[in-house]
Amino acid sequence: MIDIEFLINDLPDQDATRRFLSSLEKQHPADSVKLRKNDGLLSDVLTLASYSPLLATTLLQNPEYLWWLNRRRHSPAVRRKDELLEALGRFLLTNSQLDLHAQLARFRRRELLRIFLSDIRRLAEMAEITEDISNLADSILETALRRAEQDTTNRFGPPLVIDENGRKTAAEFCIVSLGKLGSRELNYSSDIDLLFLYSGDGETSGSGSRGSVTNREYFIKLSQTVVQLVGSQSGEGAAYRVDMRLRPHGGVGPLAISVDDAVRYYTGEARDWERQVLIRSRSSAGEVDVYKHFFDRIESAVFVDERTLQHQTDEIRDPQSAIRNALESVRLSKQIIDREQKPERGFNVKLGRGGVREIEFIAQALQLAYGGNDEWLRAPHTLISLSRLGDRGLITEIELTELFNAYEFLRHLEHILQMENGLQTHTVPDEPERRALVARRMRCEDVRGFDAEIEKHTGDVHRIFERVFGTGDVLHVAPPASAGGVASDIESTSLDVRSRPPADAGGTDLSDRSPGAALSFRDEYPVQLRDAIQKETDFRHRLGAFRRRWSELLDQIKTADINNTIDIREAKRAQTALAEASIETALDITRREMNRRFDTKLKTLPIGVMGLGKLGGGALDYGSDLDLALVYDGDKPLGSDVTHAEFYSRVGEVFVTTLSSMTRDGSIYRVDLRLRPYGKNGQSVCSASAFTEYMRETAAMWEWLAYVKIRGVAGDMNLARAVESSVREIIHARAARVDAAELANETRRVRSLLEKERAAVRRSKDIDIKYGPGGMLDVYFAMRYLQLRDNVPDRSNDRSTEFMLGELYRSGSLSPSHHETISAGYRFLSSLDHHL
């Protein structure tokens, strides 16, 4: 059992943590005893209590959430909307004694336990956290809409429209999200800005209890019900604060509006800032085709292209004038916000100088200015749009990095502030004790370091804001300094950049490289990544340097791949080599951080990193997860009083955080440790002896299939290779002792289960080339089954699927016709998957 005081001493608010433990013991003694026996869950729960009194109270009020969290805390980083809808459906059935609006609020609070834990543990990137929060809002809106439709239709009958053939068809409805929800960047305590659209006017069928009404009346009543269900206060507050003020005509406009009326408004009388709002819009619930039909008709009013300019006056037709007008419109919007902001003590993370809003407005202004002729720039998500603006040369590489780092830091800070008590706050407190607590929660050494981080990031953002918007006379700022390669005067920026293909994101020119150069260059990956972090002196800056260099190296592979100077096989080998070098770099960063935290002096971490799945097979591809298992040498001393279990639990956390960091294009890698011994209930890092003992005595048959591809990939390679050899010998020996029919049935069962689980959360009718019948999983499972049945272990340096199929053919496990069929099918599916 882990030392509780050891856990508490590492947390930012030790007093709050002890109060929580005391309250739990008094109010729920049985749950308290059970919790103390689960080291991993105990650590997570104490961390939540230290960061969020709000969630500590939630757990005390609902102790059953402890065991729900235990099941969910190692789930994938982001839950999709369809998964959340299914979970919400189950939650409603088990809490049917509550009104729906209370159920929705309570479900949201429960899910925040899972999301915020990933946030403060840094187990997911910021884009994943905000996407998860946004998916949660979408699922609640969808559920509220379905109930509202049922009730409103029961009263008035279904709404109808006359189609182009004169037939009556059902009218459709869509909840359009704007702002942060529209771009999938929702905060924990954000309002949700909504627009309600319906497909057309007409009347309801009158088959309900209240007779017929116009579609306008029907959809307004429907919208009122949705707002009431989502926004009504319950004992735990409302699910969300719903803001409808961004709809056409604001507070005096109808709550729901037809697509035709909305199009007339946005292409006619809408003000510039209202059209700017639509940059970040999408369908959150209802019929997505209603939104698509609407946006297709108003997109040219949001992003003015050359065809639109041709029909305007000479003064407006000038492209440079259009750019200036777009920038001026956004700058005036920012000026209005600044004037309306009430004076407050402390820095406002959202609206303050150099805050999140300035980052968003930089992206939106340049999108408006250049997105008319370049549809690729019209991405609603702030980080994606900044990345694409960088690729077009509209912001420099240095500016892009600065904006990314600032966005990540400020959004984390915003989340820490909001989840303390669940309030919609953006203000960093001035009181010394409260500010020091926020600094600790942000993992800063002290308040001075915290203040320096704020000053650096906000200074970077505001400098770029000034550069983009000119001299800033309206905003009363000094003229900007050099923009570092991008003209500070926007008028001198050539419009030609809008028609250029995306630049190499890493700034590396491969045009003079010979075919296969990227493949030969892979031997340099370890040195390249090590040199990138060498000069950095703290954890945060090492992460930044690591992810920037990794992105450059991956872009070299992409460029060679696109230019056909390497084939698919070589591209996968290069990506595998890059992943292995990245794991080594992550171990080095982790070692330095652990030496700092625990005052150890380890020159290397005695850890072996085992690759499974595609990494184990040496055929990693774009977007692949890293399926890993981590083992340590329990005989090697640490040079500190800390126990091995305590030390390596922290190693696992820091290692995953390091390897899952945000880059300009997303995360470096998604790390999946769920195949470790005992799965989500096991330690993230296991001793080598316990690992092999588990495989010998406990591992289930389905785990044998997973571990067929085990390969030592990084760290202490003597340890890793010894574990690899032992595990391979164990699983093949165990497989030899079972009946082949039993092994076949279990293989078929696991394969079928994966397909069913996938189908349960996928509503699409698209063909799934991985999980669907005849997909790549069929190949993987057939191959591993035959390897175990006929004792054909991986031995050579080539462990790819295609090579192993050949080995099975040569050993007689596959007939010539079966080998030809399955190999040809796999080559096709693998190529299709790669290009997708």
Side-chain angles (χ1 to χ4, degrees), residues 515-519 556-557 560-561 563-568 570-571 574 622:
L519 188 61
Q556 292 176 3
I557 300 172
D561 195 355
N563 291 335
N564 293 319
T565 58
I566 57 175
D567 60 23
I568 293 176
E570 290 169 333
Y622 303 116

Side-chain angles (χ1 to χ4, degrees), residues 389-403:
L389 291 165
D391 286 339
R392 290 296 196 249
L394 294 169
I395 54 177
T396 68
E397 191 75 22
I398 293 174
E399 288 176 333
L400 180 63
T401 299
E402 290 172 338
L403 290 172

Side-chain angles (χ1 to χ4, degrees), residues 805-806 808-824 827:
L805 290 174
L808 291 169
Y809 164 66
R810 286 184 283 274
S811 69
S813 297
L814 277 175
S815 68
S817 62
H818 284 167
H819 173 255
E820 181 180 353
T821 299
I822 200 169
S823 296
R827 281 193 297 272

Side-chain angles (χ1 to χ4, degrees), residues 20-35:
F20 168 79
L21 272 177
S22 177
S23 298
L24 184 67
E25 187 172 357
K26 291 176 182 177
Q27 298 174 31
H28 311 287
D31 291 298
S32 177
V33 171
K34 185 178 176 183
L35 178 63

Side-chain angles (χ1 to χ4, degrees), residues 523-693:
D523 295 336
E524 302 174 26
Y525 292 159
V527 175
Q528 290 275 326
L529 292 173
R530 185 172 63 246
D531 289 350
I533 66 168
Q534 201 63 39
K535 63 181 180 181
E536 304 298 343
T537 58
D538 60 55
F539 183 67
R540 178 180 293 276
H541 290 95
R542 288 189 191 109
L543 290 188
F546 174 28
R547 64 200 187 201
R548 287 193 295 274
R549 183 58 55 85
W550 177 88
S551 183
E552 292 172 1
L553 296 175
L554 182 63
D555 282 327
Q556 292 176 3
I557 300 172
K558 291 179 182 177
T559 303
D561 195 355
I562 291 169
N563 291 335
N564 293 319
T565 58
I566 57 175
D567 60 23
I568 293 176
R569 188 180 180 88
E570 290 169 333
K572 290 182 178 182
R573 286 182 176 176
Q575 289 183 74
T576 301
L578 178 58
E580 292 169 355
S582 299
I583 293 170
E584 290 286 6
T585 305
L587 287 173
D588 188 38
I589 293 174
T590 301
R591 175 189 63 82
R592 298 180 191 219
E593 182 64 10
M594 299 308 292
N595 283 343
R596 183 190 68 79
R597 289 190 187 187
F598 293 95
D599 197 28
T600 52
K601 295 180 173 59
L602 294 174
K603 294 184 178 180
T604 60
L605 283 177
I607 281 183
V609 181
M610 320 304 297
L612 306 167
K614 289 186 176 181
L615 179 63
L620 208 67
D621 209 350
Y622 303 116
S624 294
D625 292 354
L626 295 187
D627 294 298
L628 303 178
L630 309 177
V631 297
Y632 68 85
D633 187 342
D635 295 328
K636 288 193 176 180
L638 297 173
S640 173
D641 293 335
V642 64
T643 67
H644 281 76
E646 293 166 342
F647 181 79
Y648 286 109
S649 68
R650 287 288 181 266
V651 166
E653 177 185 324
V654 176
F655 173 77
V656 172
T657 298
T658 303
L659 207 52
S660 301
S661 294
M662 167 70 80
T663 72
R664 56 180 291 178
D665 296 311
S667 64
I668 293 182
Y669 296 104
R670 292 188 181 186
V671 178
D672 193 338
L673 300 177
R674 288 176 294 174
L675 290 175
R676 66 185 183 271
Y678 302 105
K680 63 184 180 182
N681 295 320
Q683 296 293 326
S684 58
V685 189
C686 181
S687 73
S689 58
F691 190 92
T692 53
E693 184 66 16

